[in-house]
Amino acid sequence: MARVSIVGLGLIGGSIGLALRQWMTTPDGRKNSFELIGYDKDGEKANMAARMGVVATVSRDFGGAVRNADMVIICTPALAVREVLTALAPVVSSGAVVTDTTSTKQQVLQWADELLPNNIHFVGGHPMAGGTGGLGDARNNLFTGATYAICPSMRASETAIEQVIMLVRMVGASPLFIDPLEHDAAVAAVSHMPFTLAATLAKVTMDSDGWSEMGKLAATAYREMTRLAEGDPIMHRDILLSNKQAVVSWLDRYVALLFDMRELIKSADPNNPNSEAAKRIEQFFTAARDEREKWLNERSGGNRALESELQNINMGNVLSRGILGGFGRKPQGK
Amino acid sequence: MARVSIVGLGLIGGSIGLALRQWMTTPDGRKNSFELIGYDKDGEKANMAARMGVVATVSRDFGGAVRNADMVIICTPALAVREVLTALAPVVSSGAVVTDTTSTKQQVLQWADELLPNNIHFVGGHPMAGGTGGLGDARNNLFTGATYAICPSMRASETAIEQVIMLVRMVGASPLFIDPLEHDAAVAAVSHMPFTLAATLAKVTMDSDGWSEMGKLAATAYREMTRLAEGDPIMHRDILLSNKQAVVSWLDRYVALLFDMRELIKSADPNNPNSEAAKRIEQFFTAARDEREKWLNERSGGNRALESELQNINMGNVLSRGILGGFGRKPQGK
C-alpha cells in the first residue's frame, strides 16, 4: 500500500492531513489504497493531531514515520526544513517523492540538492493560504480555491511532479508552476513584506507615549492592518531569514514610495484641495483603489473557473481521471 | 418641534440618520418630538437617501435643510466642512448646536471659530467606525459599540455638549472626551497612517513588472493589508491635508522602525536562527503579537461594559433618563 507521511503537524500539516483523509473513501464508497502517517517533534501536538484524526496514524519516532514512505510532505517552519531533510536522507526510500510547504523556495531547493540522495525526487511546494492559526485551526478546506506554487528540483522526475500535482488537487488547490527566484520575489512582496509592515505598525504605535488614548480610538482599520502580527514569531523569523534579499529589496521600494507620499503630504496646502500636491495625492489613492479592484475581479474570475473544475472532479469519476492513480499505482505490500 | 439636520448623506450621514430614525418611536410606542431632515449637494445621493428612508425629509436646498435646525450634523469629507460652515453661518438659528464627524479635529475647530457666529455652539465629533463604503452601505448599527471622540469648541455651552453626548448614545456609541491635538495625533497613528500604508502597499506591488505572477500568489493577507485602499480618494486626500503634521511625524517614526527591521534582516545569517539578529527579529514579532493581544483583550472588556450599559438604555426607561430630553426640551412650533 502506498504511504504518505506528513512531517510537522501545525495548521498546514494538519489541514493537508484532514483534506487527504477525505480521499480515503472514494465517492462511490470504495477504499483508496494509501496509508497516511504523521509526525511532529512536539509530543503534545502529535497527541492532539491523533485526537483530531488529522492522519490515520501518528508515529512517535521520525524514522518510523518516514521509512518506506512513497511521499513525504514537510510542513515545518522554513529553517527546520533543513534539519528534517538531514534526518530524512539516510532513511528515505529510493524513488520517494519529497515535498515541502514553506514560504521560500530557493533556499529549500538548495538544501534538498545538498542533503538528499540523487534518487529522491524533491518538488518544492507552497500553498498560498494558511492564516495565522495553529493545529487547532486546521480544517479540510483550508486550501480550497487557493493557488499552490510548485517549484520542482532539477532531479524530480515527471511522475514525481505529477504526484505533487495530484496532492495539490486533492487538497482543493490550483497548481501554479513558477521559477523559485520569481516565487521568492513575489511572496516577498505579497506576503513577507505585508506581515513585516503589520508588526511594525503594531510596535510603533503601541510603544508610543500616547498609546493609552490611541488604543481607545483604534478601531477596525487598525485591527485589520495589524492582524498579521498574530502570526508565529518563529515562522516569521525563519521566512525573513530564508528570503532576506527579496524582502530587503521590497522594503526599499516600499519606503521609497512611502517617502514620496510623505513629501507630497508635507508640501500640500491644507486649505487648497486643488493644489498640484493635493491632486497627486488624490490620484495616488484613486489608482490604488482601481488597480486593487481590477485584481480582485480577475482573481474571483480565476476562482470561479477553479471551483467549476473541482466540482467536476467531485462528480464521481475521480479514479477514472487518475487523480489518485499516482498513489494507487504503487505495488501493494511494498 | 425640535429639528435635527444632517448635511452630507454618505456612509456616515446615512448611518446616523438610520440610527436616529429608530428613536422616532419610543420603546413604549410614543412618538418622539423631533424632526429629521437631510441634505446632500449630490442630487442622486439625496434621491437615494430619500428612497432608503435615511431621514424623514430630504431637502433639495441647503438653506431649507438647515434653517431653524436645533442641531446640524455635518457628515461631509474634511475639506468640504469649511464650505458647509461658510454656507451655514448666515442661516443657522441663534443657539443651535453644530457638530461634525470628520477625522481631524484641530482644523475643523479652527474653521468653526473663524466662520460661525458667537451664539452657535460647535462641538467637534468623530465616530471611530465607518469602513470604506458609501451611502448604500449605511446601516443603523454602524456605530454600535464604537468609541466616539468629542472635542467641544471654547464657545460650546454645557447643554450643547450634553446634546451631542445624547446623539452619541442614540447612535449606540461611547463618548470619549479628548483634546483636539491629542485626538489628531492618535488618529494619525491608528487610522490615517494605516490607510496610507495600505495604499502604498497596493501601488508598489501592482506597479511592479512582476505583478502578473504576484497577483496569482497574492492571497488573504495581501487582500487584507490593502483593504483600506478601497476608501474614497477625496476623503483620504482631505484627511491627509487637514492632519498633515501629525501624519508626517508618524510616517517618520514608522519608517525609522521599519528601517531598523530592514537592517536586522539584512545582517542576519540565513542558516543560523540563533544569531543575535535572528533573536531580535523573533523578539520583535513576539512583542508585536503579545502587545496587540493585550489591546484586543482590553478593548473587548470595554465593549462588554458599553453593551451592558446600552442594554439598560434599551430597557424601557429611555425618556426618564433624559436621553431624548435634549431634543424634547425645545418649545414646539419654534
Side-chain angles (χ1 to χ4, degrees):
Chain A
M1 189 153 57
R3 172 180 282 193
V4 178
S5 302
I6 301 177
V7 176
L9 299 170
L11 175 67
I12 304 296
S15 295
I16 289 180
L18 290 171
L20 290 183
R21 286 213 77 178
Q22 296 177 292
W23 294 85
M24 295 214 140
T25 309
T26 60
D28 56 2
R30 279 179 298 150
K31 266 195 116 177
N32 274 318
S33 53
F34 72 97
E35 201 184 346
L36 191 56
I37 186 163
Y39 170 82
D40 198 289
K41 72 172 181 180
D42 176 345
E44 283 293 311
K45 218 191 262 183
N47 288 341
M48 185 176 165
R51 282 196 302 274
M52 288 172 69
V54 157
V55 287
T57 318
V58 171
S59 170
R60 293 305 150 88
D61 104 280
F62 179 78
V66 300
R67 200 166 290 123
N68 299 326
D70 299 281
M71 180 182 275
V72 178
I73 309 168
I74 305 172
C75 304
T76 64
L79 295 189
V81 173
R82 189 184 195 185
E83 209 178 304
V84 174
L85 290 172
T86 307
L88 198 60
V91 281
V92 67
S93 302
S94 168
V97 177
V98 178
T99 188
D100 77 311
T101 58
T102 54
S103 193
T104 51
K105 296 272 71 73
Q106 286 179 95
Q107 179 71 81
V108 164
L109 283 163
Q110 193 190 315
W111 287 333
D113 202 42
E114 282 166 25
L115 300 166
L116 291 180
N118 279 328
N119 53 5
I120 302 302
H121 304 279
F122 186 82
V123 180
H126 180 210
M128 303 309 299
T132 49
L135 175 59
D137 304 292
R139 52 181 209 271
N140 62 26
N141 65 350
L142 184 67
F143 309 107
T144 304
T147 298
Y148 198 124
I150 295 181
C151 305
S153 70
M154 297 299 284
R155 297 193 310 230
S157 70
E158 224 169 283
T159 311
I161 298 168
E162 275 167 23
Q163 289 188 5
V164 174
I165 293 175
M166 285 166 208
L167 170 72
V168 169
R169 296 288 189 197
M170 287 166 81
V171 302
S174 174
L176 175 75
F177 280 87
I178 184 166
D179 172 77
L181 184 72
E182 265 187 272
H183 170 276
D184 288 2
V187 294
V190 299
S191 168
H192 309 167
M193 175 166 66
F195 72 65
T196 309
L197 299 179
T200 302
L201 177 60
K203 275 300 275 179
V204 79
T205 47
M206 291 178 166
D207 287 352
S208 76
D209 289 340
W211 174 247
S212 66
E213 289 294 289
M214 264 179 231
K216 289 177 203 151
L217 292 171
T220 320
Y222 178 82
R223 183 180 176 151
E224 191 179 58
M225 284 297 288
T226 56
R227 207 264 309 166
L228 295 175
E230 278 175 5
D232 178 10
I234 306 250
M235 186 184 74
H236 285 160
R237 179 199 69 191
D238 281 11
I239 289 173
L240 293 180
L241 293 194
S242 61
N243 198 20
K244 55 184 265 185
Q245 272 183 305
V247 172
V248 166
S249 145
W250 273 106
L251 288 176
D252 288 344
R253 293 162 79 165
Y254 183 85
V255 168
L257 182 57
L258 191 60
F259 191 77
D260 286 350
M261 283 305 292
R262 176 207 187 271
E263 292 299 285
L264 274 180
I265 297 165
K266 200 174 180 195
S267 71
D269 171 359
N271 292 313
N272 182 9
N274 298 316
S275 72
E276 189 53 34
K279 273 183 203 155
R280 284 180 57 199
I281 292 171
E282 186 188 332
Q283 280 159 8
F284 170 82
F285 284 109
T286 305
R289 181 190 63 182
D290 295 350
E291 289 168 24
R292 184 175 177 279
E293 202 179 326
K294 188 165 160 259
W295 167 69
L296 282 173
N297 288 337
E298 281 163 6
R299 199 176 145 69
S300 67
N303 284 349
R304 273 195 298 277
L306 178 66
E307 266 165 37
S308 86
E309 189 186 331
L310 284 172
Q311 227 155 19
N312 288 336
I313 292 180
N314 290 335
M315 279 312 166
N317 54 354
V318 173
L319 286 171
S320 67
R321 287 189 57 181
I323 297 297
L324 277 171
F327 298 147
R329 219 181 295 155
K330 298 288 170 88
Q332 297 241 342
K334 181 192 166 178
Chain B
M1 187 153 56
R3 172 180 283 192
V4 178
S5 301
I6 301 176
V7 176
L9 299 169
L11 174 67
I12 302 298
S15 294
I16 288 180
L18 290 171
L20 290 183
R21 287 214 75 179
Q22 296 177 293
W23 293 85
M24 294 212 142
T25 308
T26 59
D28 56 2
R30 278 178 299 148
K31 266 195 117 177
N32 274 318
S33 53
F34 71 97
E35 199 185 348
L36 190 57
I37 186 166
Y39 170 82
D40 198 288
K41 72 172 181 180
D42 176 344
E44 283 291 314
K45 218 190 261 182
N47 287 341
M48 184 175 164
R51 282 196 303 275
M52 287 171 70
V54 156
V55 287
T57 318
V58 172
S59 170
R60 293 305 150 90
D61 103 280
F62 179 78
V66 299
R67 199 167 290 122
N68 299 327
D70 300 282
M71 180 182 276
V72 179
I73 309 168
I74 305 173
C75 304
T76 64
L79 295 190
V81 173
R82 187 182 197 188
E83 209 179 303
V84 173
L85 291 172
T86 308
L88 200 59
V91 282
V92 68
S93 302
S94 169
V97 177
V98 178
T99 187
D100 76 311
T101 59
T102 54
S103 192
T104 52
K105 296 273 71 73
Q106 285 180 95
Q107 179 72 79
V108 165
L109 283 163
Q110 192 189 316
W111 287 333
D113 203 42
E114 282 166 23
L115 299 167
L116 290 179
N118 279 329
N119 54 4
I120 302 302
H121 305 279
F122 187 82
V123 180
H126 180 209
M128 303 309 299
T132 50
L135 175 58
D137 304 293
R139 51 182 208 271
N140 62 25
N141 64 350
L142 184 68
F143 309 107
T144 304
T147 298
Y148 198 124
I150 295 182
C151 304
S153 70
M154 297 299 284
R155 298 192 309 229
S157 69
E158 224 168 284
T159 312
I161 297 168
E162 275 168 23
Q163 289 188 5
V164 173
I165 293 175
M166 284 167 208
L167 170 72
V168 169
R169 295 288 189 197
M170 286 167 82
V171 302
S174 174
L176 175 76
F177 281 86
I178 184 166
D179 173 77
L181 184 71
E182 264 188 273
H183 169 276
D184 289 2
V187 293
V190 300
S191 168
H192 309 167
M193 175 166 67
F195 72 65
T196 309
L197 299 179
T200 302
L201 177 60
K203 277 298 276 178
V204 78
T205 47
M206 291 180 167
D207 288 351
S208 76
D209 290 339
W211 174 246
S212 66
E213 290 293 289
M214 264 178 230
K216 289 176 203 152
L217 292 171
T220 319
Y222 178 82
R223 184 180 177 150
E224 192 179 59
M225 284 298 289
T226 57
R227 208 262 312 166
L228 295 175
E230 277 175 8
D232 178 10
I234 306 252
M235 185 185 74
H236 285 159
R237 178 199 70 190
D238 282 10
I239 289 173
L240 293 181
L241 293 194
S242 61
N243 198 19
K244 53 183 266 183
Q245 272 183 305
V247 172
V248 166
S249 145
W250 273 107
L251 287 177
D252 288 344
R253 294 162 79 163
Y254 183 84
V255 168
L257 182 57
L258 191 60
F259 191 77
D260 287 350
M261 282 305 292
R262 176 208 187 272
E263 293 297 286
L264 273 181
I265 297 165
K266 200 174 177 194
S267 71
D269 172 0
N271 292 313
N272 182 10
N274 298 315
S275 72
E276 189 53 34
K279 271 183 204 155
R280 284 180 55 200
I281 292 171
E282 186 188 332
Q283 279 160 6
F284 170 82
F285 284 109
T286 305
R289 182 191 62 183
D290 294 350
E291 288 167 25
R292 184 174 178 278
E293 201 178 327
K294 187 165 161 261
W295 167 68
L296 282 173
N297 288 338
E298 282 163 6
R299 199 175 145 70
S300 66
N303 285 347
R304 271 195 300 275
L306 179 66
E307 266 165 38
S308 87
E309 189 185 331
L310 283 172
Q311 225 155 19
N312 288 337
I313 292 180
N314 291 335
M315 280 310 167
N317 54 354
V318 173
L319 285 171
S320 68
R321 288 189 56 181
I323 297 298
L324 277 171
F327 297 147
R329 219 180 297 154
K330 299 287 170 88
Q332 297 242 340
K334 181 191 167 179

